[in-house]
Amino acid sequence: MNQRQVLEEKWEAILSFVKNNYGISDVSYRTWILSLSIYDIEENIVNLVVDDSKINANSINFIRDHYSSFIMTAIEEVTNIHYDLNFILKSDIKRIEEDKKKKDSGSYQTNLASTFNPLYTFDTFVVCDNNNMAHAASLAVAEQPGTVFNPLFLYGGPGLGKTHLMYAIANFIVQNNPSKKVLYVTSETFTNDVVKALRSGNTAVSSQEMREKYRNNDVLLIDDIQFIIGKNTTQEEFFHTFNEMRDSGRQVIISSDRDPRNLQILDERLRSRFESGLTVDIQPPSYEARKAILSKKKDINHLDDVSDEILEYIATNIKSNIRELEGALNKVIALSRLQKKKLSLELAQEALKDIITPDSKKVVTPELIISEIADYYDITPQQIMSPTRSHNISLPRQISMYLSKEMTDLSLDDVGKAFKRDHSTVHFACEKISKALKDPSKKEAEEISNVISLIRKKLNS
């Protein structure tokens, strides 16, 4: 189940959360909230449709100003994922769809994401010690695509700004070099296009159309490349696409959650090509960087009543990534509007009491492990808990069970209860993963070792 399907499945619960927790009257709820619908999701940006056949088109600004914080907070509460929001008018959808068709046919010069999210630019990116090299490299590529740092490989944990920089590159090129053809996609989209071409009745034609879509560009940006690991046909297609782009002097920009050297099951040919350009990491933000990011968000959104004291409190206590920082600020603003109280440090502490407990150590639970594993494999926790036996679900489930036994004090029976399985299933999973780790000749040993190492570091940080 992809991100959009998950969100659509929970959309009614999200809207109910908004109504029940933020004191919105029935009239306001029916007028402004209930008619909102999901158009699509671009990375962590949810594009919501405002039906201007029922309300004035100018109402889009009113909804954005008065309800976006409530909706973002509700989405995060229900899904445990932070998304930014963008609003589009229903009357604009036809034009957007036409633009998409032009882009897919290779005749459209710009990136749809840049139309949806103009805030992701170099001007809105906060440059600090943790990301200054990545910013400088991205700007150099945007100014001279295909001539320096080709490919450019950005890597770092989730929510640290990789996608912001990729959109910034695309927006900069589109604005300053409109004749350049720019395409940004996630690795999931690339994989889906490969599968679609293979399933087509006329495979030769479909494959040619796909290659024209991807190779007929001056700049190609692929986000979250780690998700093509283990997908041999997708890797092979990307290998040839990459070679053709780079060998003809056209720019390729790639992002991942880890260094290409740690993409253990990636085709060695691809890994060596990724390393042939410039590889730049983005580290978690320091306190100064976190404070600067929050200050920038305050300025962009004209949140003049948010004091430095509040920003310092959030920056001190939310340390993991930028999305969580922004989500915490949204929660504070939402509570202030709900209770009609002036923004203060006390109100911020109340709003964030569930996610900020000073000096407390993170408690590792099976639920937390399942969430991290699901995020790594781009699946949902529900899929891990499901009875599905397909390999792409059973392996993450077994790793989750292994880590739950290793990183908690729970017995096999207790771990089994957490997964709604019996203790023998947990024992089998632990034995299988343990044997794989001890035998490097096993096909998936490197992948399993890499996953476990990464999740351990995240949970122990």
Side-chain angles (χ1 to χ4, degrees), residues 338-380:
L338 166 64
Q339 297 186 351
K340 297 181 172 59
K341 287 183 178 179
K342 182 179 178 182
L343 284 162
S344 64
L345 178 59
E346 291 73 24
L347 186 137
Q349 290 170 335
E350 180 185 352
L352 303 177
K353 62 185 178 182
D354 293 335
I355 59 175
I356 294 178
T357 306
D359 302 322
S360 67
K361 187 177 179 180
K362 182 189 289 182
V363 178
V364 177
T365 64
E367 291 75 21
L368 183 59
I369 291 168
I370 289 168
S371 176
E372 293 290 351
I373 293 289
D375 183 61
Y376 179 91
Y377 279 101
D378 195 29
I379 57 178
T380 66

Side-chain angles (χ1 to χ4, degrees), residues 69 116 133 184 200 253 261 264 307 328 362 429 449 454 456:
S69 292
F116 279 159
M133 186 173 178
Y184 163 92
S200 169
I253 301 118
R261 289 172 295 182
Q264 298 290 351
S307 67
K362 182 189 289 182
S449 177
L454 187 69
R456 276 181 186 150

Side-chain angles (χ1 to χ4, degrees), residues 221-235:
L221 304 99
I222 303 277
D223 214 348
D224 287 327
I225 199 66
Q226 70 272 8
F227 293 123
I228 71 170
I229 289 175
K231 299 168 183 173
N232 294 333
T233 304
T234 302
Q235 288 190 49

